Amino acid sequence: MPVLIFIDQSEGHIKKASLEAISYGVAVAKQSGDTAEGIILGKVTDDITALGKYGLLKIHHIDNEALNHLDAQVFTHVIAQVVEVVKAKLVIFSNNVDGKSIAPRLSVTLKAGLVSGAVALPDISNGFVVKKSVFSGKAFANIAINSDIKIIALNPNSYEVAVAGDAKAEVLLFNAQVAAAKVKVTNVNKVKGDVPLSEADIVVSGGRGLKGPENWGMIEELARVLGAATACSRPVADAHWRPHHEHVGQTGLAIAPNLYIAIGISGAIQHLAGVNRSKTIVVINKDPEAPFFKAADYGIVGDAFEIVPKIIEEVKKVKGVA
Ligand SMILES: Cc1cc2nc3c(=O)[nH]c(=O)nc-3n(C[C@H](O)[C@H](O)[C@H](O)COP(=O)(O)OP(=O)(O)OC[C@H]3O[C@@H](n4cnc5c(N)ncnc54)[C@H](O)[C@@H]3O)c2cc1C
């Protein structure tokens, strides 16, 4: 009974979160002596046979124009057909935008138990128990799934991508029934920027301590030299200093980069709710009592306008960039 892993792509390119889901799914399959197979929908430009190096040896590809943009109902219907044909008992998603909209629908369609926000491999020593993050990352819960078919949506950046060898995956064209979409995407306005915030390894974020939009040059410059995405606190977006898609926190985007650099942000609980899954947090704030220091791995007490230009200079020296 294979473990089926949904491979998420954007404009034909495999998302980093999918590589984590694949590595996770392959490890779960190994735990239970099953095989791992992938499913990918829509037109793909990346070489998906290369996903074999993560241990995925079979990929079901449904190449249909109607699947080039996410329509959760249509995607769910197609994935359910693949689950039925390959007799998958476990389906893995990344808990990103696509996973969050498809996994619950698939759970209803298949009458399958779902754990979303998983952060570790399931414990199969006594049943099937999945550890998940709860209360905006402040606690963990262990949830037993008792249904025949199970679904897990893995939190991005919770599981390391693991290369298993140099094998090529076999791509099987799956002939699925694709329902007519109820909504039509007429145009897509993509957020500009080299690194999408939700996928970024490093995020440089600014708060009200930066005083105004005219001071964002140093935030963008630090992000550029680090190859990072930029983010901001909510009041900054509310004041239109930065676009709303950069706002992170309880009411904004929840992110989990490897490195989150918070500059002139106080660290209110609503802000932390969106960033506290970051692997390493660096805080720069002139107030030593700023609450963010309690959540920081590294803290610099001082004026951002003095510190950030010095960091940029040092990073440029280390990286040898202009
Ligand atoms: C229901 C609800 C939902 C919310 N959702 C969100 C959310 O999703 N995301 C979010 O961010 N907020 C959210 N908020 C708002 C949140 O409570 C805080 O008000 C907000 O995060 C504060 O933003 P800030 O840290 O940028 O600004 P401030 O609280 O004004 O902090 C600015 C910080 O900059 C420091 N500073 C000032 N000058 C300098 C300098 N020169 N150098 C270095 N440091 C300096 C100050 O010491 C201070 O700590 C929400 C609030 C509510 C009620």
Side-chain angles (χ1 to χ4, degrees):
M1 307 272 183
V3 172
L4 191 66
I5 303 149
F6 176 71
I7 305 167
D8 200 358
Q9 54 120 338
S10 169
E11 295 181 342
H13 302 295
I14 311 295
K15 292 186 188 167
K16 175 181 161 257
S18 288
L19 303 184
E20 295 165 2
I22 292 169
S23 300
Y24 180 88
V26 167
V28 180
K30 210 177 267 177
Q31 267 186 334
S32 50
D34 293 317
T35 55
E37 300 183 8
I39 170 168
I40 189 159
L41 311 186
K43 189 174 172 55
V44 195
T45 43
D46 283 352
D47 172 19
I48 47 176
T49 65
L51 296 175
K53 74 175 181 187
Y54 303 106
L56 198 59
L57 299 182
K58 240 183 222 180
I59 298 173
H60 305 277
H61 184 198
I62 300 97
D63 187 5
N64 184 306
E65 210 190 326
L67 303 172
N68 288 345
H69 291 288
L70 173 67
D71 180 316
Q73 291 182 2
V74 177
F75 274 41
T76 301
H77 183 232
V78 169
I79 296 168
Q81 293 171 59
V82 179
V83 170
E84 196 182 329
V85 170
V86 305
K87 300 192 174 7
K89 289 291 178 204
L90 175 62
V91 189
I92 309 285
F93 290 90
S94 172
N95 196 33
N96 57 9
V97 172
D98 287 21
K100 278 180 183 162
S101 52
I102 305 167
R105 287 181 165 88
L106 191 66
S107 157
V108 173
T109 306
L110 300 174
K111 296 188 171 36
L114 160 68
V115 172
S116 57
V119 293
L121 289 174
D123 178 357
I124 56 168
S125 58
N126 184 17
F128 193 95
V129 178
V130 186
K131 183 176 179 180
K132 68 168 279 183
S133 161
V134 290
F135 299 123
S136 301
K138 289 230 166 291
F140 297 108
N142 291 308
I143 312 284
I145 313 184
N146 300 321
S147 54
D148 186 25
I149 301 177
K150 301 168 177 58
I151 302 175
I152 297 176
L154 175 72
N155 262 353
N157 231 351
S158 299
Y159 197 81
E160 290 277 318
V161 174
V163 173
D166 55 4
K168 292 271 177 203
E170 181 189 3
V171 179
L172 306 162
L173 292 178
F174 191 97
N175 193 10
Q177 265 191 336
V178 181
K182 296 203 174 83
V183 289
K184 189 174 173 215
V185 178
T186 50
N187 71 319
V188 176
N189 285 333
K190 281 210 72 159
V191 168
K192 289 198 185 69
D194 294 339
V195 189
L197 183 52
S198 56
E199 293 267 300
D201 254 350
I202 307 177
V203 174
V204 180
S205 190
R208 208 151 41 179
L210 289 168
K211 321 282 186 234
E214 65 282 4
N215 294 324
W216 240 263
M218 65 180 186
I219 301 291
E220 288 177 331
E221 177 71 346
L222 181 57
R224 186 185 68 79
V225 295
L226 288 172
T230 50
C232 67
S233 65
R234 176 172 158 172
V236 162
D238 285 348
H240 304 295
W241 295 0
R242 297 299 290 176
H244 265 291
H245 62 75
E246 283 196 2
H247 148 208
V248 290
Q250 184 188 316
T251 46
L253 203 62
I255 54 171
N258 283 323
L259 175 60
Y260 183 72
I261 305 175
I263 303 168
I265 303 176
S266 57
I269 189 147
Q270 296 90 353
H271 184 85
L272 292 176
V275 302
N276 60 8
R277 285 194 292 110
S278 307
K279 289 253 158 69
T280 303
I281 296 179
V282 176
V283 170
I284 302 170
N285 196 305
K286 70 175 187 186
D287 174 9
E289 300 297 322
F292 221 146
F293 283 121
K294 290 206 178 83
D297 297 285
Y298 300 93
I300 303 173
V301 178
D303 186 343
F305 296 99
E306 285 172 24
I307 292 162
V308 174
K310 285 188 184 148
I311 297 177
I312 294 171
E313 216 173 284
E314 285 306 312
V315 174
K316 280 182 176 171
K317 268 192 225 156
V318 171
K319 289 197 158 193
V321 293

